[in-house]
Amino acid sequence: MSASNPLRPTGRSPEEIRLALPSKGRLEEPTLAFLAACGLAVEKANPRQYVARIPALPGVTVLFQRAGDIPLSVRDGGVDFGITGYDVVMERLDHDPQVLILHEALNYGHCDLVLAVPEAWPIETVEELAALAQSRAREGHPLRIATRFTHLVSRFLKERGIAEFHLVVSEGTLEVAPSIGYADLIADLTTTGTTLHDNRLKPLRDGVILHAQACLIANREALKARPEVLAVARQLVEFFEAHLRAEGHYMLFANMRGESAEAIARRLFTQTDLGGLQGPTISRVYVREADPGWFAIHIIVRKDRLNEAIQQLRTIGGSGVVVAPVTYIFEEEPLRWQRVLEQLS
């Protein structure tokens, strides 16, 4: 490729791989914590710098950008990968062929883009809002909606039969727009709904435009043209998937007396929560005294069933139960990675 190719911006070596992370926003600290939990901790020499590195990924340069700018940087090839909110990806790109979503659900940064109206309005649903919009349009005063998600909001409203409205573009605090008077309602992100309630706004019952959380995106051409970028993509997807899968499980060890490993397994399978991922691992315990009837059990259990699993183990004779956290559970090949390869081909 020539130096003028957008995949090789000025000042970037041909071998450099770039990952953009959100800076100075609600996703910055959770993203750094997530990467560290995945074994991909970010090291920044100076907290004021916008460049960092990940020791576990020696070929990758980390750049910090505004979350809303990351999708455009990935699309234009200034960076190869980006972690940002699914909401800004869909607002800025909405299935742009230059950008591939490698992982749409990193399980943090959860929020909803919702339509919210003043609490005093006798309106609870989008259908009722559509009737009001039609009435206001006939009077020559279309509904004014304050938002920074113009593309997503317009599409949502038009798909539900609301054709006439006026979007008031705002990057500031939207919740005050109806009380100040420059908009009738808002479409904004919410996590708990507390801020809406504090400003006497209520979300419509069926007014969720988009469920969002942090996601991982990549430049499609970089993945296809540069094997080293594709290799990093696989490592990111596999480590993220393995960590997210492990988050919902604990590792459980116990000792149990029995005639054989097979007999122990039959007792375990009589219980609902002791099957493990594919099955329990059972091995002989070599004790110093002449008691050959001890076996060690090793299984993975769901976090929300941990108490039940411990009680079931005790019921069938388990003792010395040890519980440990799980960092990764790697699959043979993650389904998400298979989907990435299918989209590239």
Side-chain angles (χ1 to χ4, degrees):
M1 293 185 184
S2 66
S4 62
N5 190 291
L7 295 180
R8 300 284 187 267
T10 303
R12 179 180 180 182
S13 68
E15 298 79 20
E16 185 182 11
I17 300 172
R18 288 180 170 180
L19 165 65
L21 301 182
S23 172
K24 296 180 179 178
R26 64 183 180 86
L27 288 179
E28 180 179 7
E29 291 303 320
T31 297
L32 294 176
F34 173 76
L35 289 170
C38 291
L40 303 172
V42 176
E43 288 188 358
K44 187 190 289 189
N46 187 321
R48 292 184 295 275
Q49 286 183 337
Y50 288 88
V51 179
R53 68 188 189 97
I54 298 176
L57 298 172
V60 175
T61 299
V62 174
L63 302 176
F64 289 88
Q65 297 182 330
R66 288 197 326 150
D69 294 336
I70 290 175
L72 303 182
S73 295
V74 173
R75 180 195 65 188
D76 297 337
V79 297
D80 304 295
F81 302 99
I83 295 178
T84 188
Y86 185 69
D87 50 300
V88 295
V89 172
M90 297 306 294
E91 173 66 22
R92 297 293 182 95
L93 303 179
D94 195 7
H95 301 100
D96 188 301
Q98 286 297 324
V99 174
L100 200 62
I101 298 178
L102 302 182
H103 202 303
E104 75 285 357
L106 298 183
N107 201 32
Y108 70 91
H110 294 273
C111 59
D112 292 329
L113 177 60
V114 302
L115 285 171
V117 302
E119 289 180 341
W121 284 18
I123 288 177
E124 302 292 338
T125 67
V126 175
E127 183 179 3
E128 293 170 345
L129 181 67
L132 176 62
Q134 189 175 23
S135 173
R136 291 281 296 268
R138 285 197 300 265
E139 297 169 359
H141 301 289
L143 284 175
R144 299 166 300 162
I145 307 169
T147 188
R148 52 195 173 93
F149 294 93
T150 56
H151 169 69
L152 291 172
V153 173
S154 294
R155 187 180 66 182
F156 180 86
L157 294 175
K158 290 175 181 177
E159 287 175 349
R160 284 153 182 80
I162 304 176
E164 296 190 52
F165 52 86
H166 175 65
L167 295 181
V168 180
V169 181
S170 175
E171 293 287 340
T173 304
L174 299 181
E175 290 84 3
V176 300
S179 60
I180 291 177
Y182 70 84
D184 301 302
L185 65 150
I186 71 170
D188 200 13
L189 298 174
T190 182
T191 303
T192 63
T194 301
T195 304
L196 294 177
H197 179 72
D198 289 345
N199 287 274
R200 298 185 177 180
L201 298 172
K202 60 182 179 182
L204 297 180
R205 287 203 301 264
D206 55 349
V208 177
I209 298 169
L210 184 76
H211 296 290
Q213 57 185 292
C215 67
L216 172 68
I217 59 176
N219 181 281
R220 181 186 295 269
E221 289 305 314
L223 294 173
K224 294 175 69 174
R226 302 172 60 195
E228 67 274 21
V229 174
L230 188 64
V232 170
R234 176 165 188 161
Q235 186 170 351
L236 290 173
V237 171
E238 289 203 332
F239 269 67
F240 290 176
E241 279 287 86
H243 171 69
L244 290 170
R245 192 178 185 199
E247 274 191 329
H249 296 82
Y250 277 118
M251 189 180 301
L252 194 150
F253 301 89
N255 290 333
M256 188 179 297
R257 279 193 175 94
E259 297 175 0
S260 66
E262 291 74 15
I264 297 288
R266 286 193 294 270
R267 284 154 65 185
L268 291 172
F269 286 136
T270 64
Q271 307 300 312
T272 58
D273 296 293
L274 303 182
L277 295 177
Q278 278 78 38
T281 299
I282 304 170
S283 56
R284 184 174 295 280
V285 176
Y286 293 90
V287 296
R288 294 186 178 184
E289 281 93 29
D291 187 356
W294 281 101
F295 290 84
I297 302 161
H298 173 200
I299 56 176
I300 301 295
V301 301
R302 285 169 35 197
K303 281 187 177 180
D304 61 349
R305 300 295 297 174
L306 176 62
N307 183 62
E308 289 80 2
I310 293 173
Q311 298 308 317
Q312 290 170 22
L313 261 177
R314 288 170 170 168
T315 298
I316 60 175
S319 64
V321 180
V322 176
V323 179
V326 182
T327 304
Y328 304 107
I329 299 178
F330 286 97
E331 301 174 86
E332 186 174 348
E333 184 170 76
L335 180 60
R336 273 193 174 86
W337 181 246
Q338 295 176 26
R339 292 207 302 260
V340 169
L341 295 180
E342 289 169 3
Q343 291 179 77
L344 288 175
S345 62

